[in-house]
Amino acid sequence: MPPNQPTVLIVEDEHAQREILAYNLKAEGYRVINAADGDEALLYLDEQPPDVVVLDWMLPGVSGIEICRRIKMRNQSSNISVIMLSARCEESDRIHGLETGADDYVIKPYSVNELMVRVRNQLRRTRPAATGQRLEFDGIVLDGETHRVTRNGQELRLGPIEFRILSTFLEKPRRVWTREQLLDRVWGRNIYVDTRTVDVHIGRLRKALRKHGGKDPVRTVRGTGYALG
Ligand code: CA
């Protein structure tokens, strides 16, 4: 599976619904994780944090509302977008859903196309490079659609791994990434790569970014990893 893909966790106890969602989300190019109940969802949230959770309200065991509350309560997961699915349509339930911190709310039965738009809207905010947007930081411009990279107007040539590292950095400038986090995001989860490989590609990225001069924009955070700016 190609890395750098946005990941969507589906939490839905109805098998057929889950299948339809998974099929459509994969067709959009996302990595999909399926959970059939709340406990399974909590496990995946810790092990493979997604970018978006499509979360059914009525679940066996831990309810959707409770899962949403837990996602939004914890620092390390509060930036994950949550789209609640619910058959309830009373206004009070809707408000209750939003009060728990859900980012969006969709009433069943819903149109799959509409849900895809809503997932994409969430990703535009949290994963701008992966959704083909133009990112800019300190004179460095990356076009997610054409894959062109420039620094102070001058074109740069980056290898595919360096491009993915840079887009990861540009999605959250100044955020410090550990080598393990970069491995997950850039190489993908199921591939064994030594963490020193990250250092090698960071070296190449630095070289590519300084091709036409300028300061080294990549910061080494001792004992932790790397950051842009
Ligand atoms: Ca359900």
Side-chain angles (χ1 to χ4, degrees):
M1 101 201 130
N4 241 25
Q5 285 171 300
T7 302
V8 181
L9 170 64
I10 305 170
V11 191
E12 166 65 84
D13 56 315
E14 286 160 61
H15 180 76
Q17 289 277 331
R18 208 166 58 234
E19 292 286 295
I20 291 169
L21 281 178
Y23 175 84
N24 283 278
L25 289 165
K26 282 178 190 163
E28 293 283 318
Y30 308 139
R31 192 166 80 90
V32 174
I33 308 170
N34 284 299
D37 60 48
D39 295 302
E40 211 182 336
L42 291 173
L43 204 75
Y44 285 131
L45 280 165
D46 277 338
E47 285 180 353
Q48 308 183 45
D51 297 295
V52 177
V53 185
V54 176
L55 181 60
D56 189 24
W57 178 308
M58 297 292 280
L59 292 168
V62 189
S63 76
I65 284 289
E66 181 54 28
I67 291 169
C68 181
R69 196 175 282 131
R70 290 194 203 179
I71 292 172
K72 293 300 180 183
M73 207 171 60
R74 297 188 308 172
N75 251 340
Q76 68 268 37
S77 59
S78 61
N79 60 343
I80 296 174
S81 301
V82 176
I83 302 175
M84 293 286 308
L85 301 179
S86 169
R88 306 175 181 209
C89 52
E90 288 97 340
E91 178 127 49
S92 62
D93 289 327
R94 191 187 174 101
I95 289 166
H96 185 50
L98 293 170
E99 268 175 357
T100 61
D103 299 272
D104 203 353
Y105 191 96
V106 175
I107 292 163
K108 286 179 169 181
Y110 53 84
S111 126
V112 172
N113 287 339
E114 187 195 332
L115 187 61
M116 293 304 123
V117 171
R118 289 178 186 243
V119 168
R120 196 171 169 81
N121 282 345
Q122 294 299 324
L123 289 169
R124 287 181 76 80
R125 185 169 59 80
T126 57
R127 295 294 312 275
T131 48
Q133 292 171 76
R134 188 174 178 273
L135 301 181
E136 188 167 358
F137 178 77
D138 205 15
I140 301 167
V141 178
L142 178 147
D143 189 316
E145 206 153 64
T146 61
H147 282 212
R148 271 186 78 213
V149 178
T150 57
R151 187 178 189 191
N152 301 324
Q154 289 181 292
E155 191 123 4
L156 302 178
R157 295 184 77 109
L158 265 59
I161 295 284
E162 289 73 41
F163 181 85
R164 286 188 207 134
I165 296 174
L166 182 63
S167 54
T168 301
F169 281 159
L170 283 169
E171 283 184 336
K172 289 187 174 70
R174 296 201 172 85
R175 177 195 153 152
V176 179
W177 294 83
T178 67
R179 290 172 178 81
E180 288 75 17
Q181 286 168 336
L182 286 172
L183 278 178
D184 281 354
R185 182 57 79 81
V186 174
W187 279 263
R189 255 177 195 275
N190 303 321
I191 291 169
Y192 177 77
V193 182
D194 194 281
T195 49
R196 274 170 300 185
T197 308
V198 176
D199 302 334
V200 172
H201 287 277
I202 289 283
R204 288 186 194 161
L205 175 62
R206 282 179 156 142
K207 197 175 163 207
L209 289 172
R210 301 186 63 200
K211 189 178 174 229
H212 304 289
K215 277 192 312 182
D216 179 4
V218 180
R219 188 162 57 93
T220 303
V221 183
R222 202 166 285 276
T224 311
Y226 298 101
L228 186 68

